[in-house]
Amino acid sequence: MVHLRQVSTDEGEILAKDFECKFCEISAAEHVLQVADAFHDLCREVIAAKRKSKQSFIEKIDRMLSGSRTYNRGKSDSISPKD
């Protein structure tokens, strides 16, 4: 169905490079399993990016605290003297 194409392969590849992402061309009408695989790949990449972003945030906080962490624990009922 190349005659119905609205975006050329070259345009898609250029856009993918601009967004620093993968580019794939799949016909949903003819290759349903490939569409599902592409979607699952995308989901895995989003999850990996979120994890990396979270880890990067934690590392930034660690650097701000100079790598040292202190925790203050308040009194709780479990350690209070019993009457």
Side-chain angles (χ1 to χ4, degrees):
M1 299 185 67
V2 175
H3 63 283
L4 296 176
R5 179 187 308 250
Q6 293 185 11
V7 177
S8 73
T9 301
D10 291 338
E11 289 175 299
E13 289 173 345
I14 290 169
L15 186 62
K17 285 180 184 176
D18 288 346
F19 283 107
E20 298 177 4
C21 65
K22 288 183 180 180
F23 172 78
C24 60
E25 261 184 324
I26 303 169
S27 169
E30 298 172 7
H31 305 287
V32 176
L33 291 178
Q34 288 179 348
V35 173
D37 289 342
F39 180 75
H40 286 119
D41 288 343
L42 174 63
C43 291
R44 282 189 281 275
E45 287 185 35
V46 168
I47 291 169
K50 281 187 170 185
R51 286 182 182 151
K52 182 178 177 183
S53 175
K54 183 178 180 180
Q55 185 62 33
S56 156
F57 176 73
I58 291 170
E59 289 168 359
K60 183 177 180 179
I61 296 298
D62 280 345
R63 283 192 303 273
M64 287 173 54
L65 297 173
S66 301
S68 63
R69 293 184 184 193
T70 58
Y71 297 97
N72 293 324
R73 181 176 170 182
K75 290 183 179 179
S76 71
D77 291 339
S78 62
I79 61 171
S80 300
K82 302 291 180 200
D83 293 319

